Amino acid sequence: MNAPSAPLTIGELYDQPPLMPVWPTFGRDVLGLSQSGTYKFLAEGRLPVKAFPVGRRHVVRTADVLAWLHLPTNRDGAGVAAPTPSVENDPVRTQS
């Protein structure tokens, strides 16, 4: 019998790719479920975030997992970065 996997740390959650596999990463390492429990919840639509089929596997968006856990969507906690203004729209530079 395999030893249970430790849950992901917050840092490890931020290191996940944009799409996280439902099993094992989300089910086992985030929710602490068995493989059969994870797929049962998936089939019943009871996972706390939306899962998407990709080929024969299912994935969840890492951003959705972070939001479900009430964590900022990026490491610095500032939320999504604002777009950088272009030089053409900069009022200071366009006034002559």
Side-chain angles (χ1 to χ4, degrees):
M1 178 175 211
N2 293 338
S5 175
L8 292 177
T9 64
I10 292 172
E12 291 169 333
L13 280 170
Y14 283 112
D15 289 338
Q16 294 299 308
L19 297 176
M20 180 186 302
V22 166
W23 180 261
T25 310
F26 184 61
R28 181 187 67 198
D29 300 338
V30 176
L31 298 176
L33 296 172
S34 66
Q35 184 174 9
S36 61
T38 300
Y39 283 111
K40 180 179 179 181
F41 275 39
L42 174 66
E44 295 173 353
R46 293 176 44 200
L47 290 176
V49 296
K50 183 172 173 62
F52 303 92
V54 176
R56 293 176 31 150
R57 303 187 74 181
H58 282 81
V59 296
V60 295
R61 292 178 0 146
T62 301
D64 292 344
V65 174
L66 294 171
W68 174 68
L69 293 170
H70 302 284
L71 294 171
T73 55
N74 62 14
R75 275 186 192 264
D76 64 12
V80 178
T84 305
S86 66
V87 174
E88 296 85 30
N89 296 331
D90 187 349
V92 175
R93 294 183 185 203
T94 56
Q95 293 177 356
S96 306

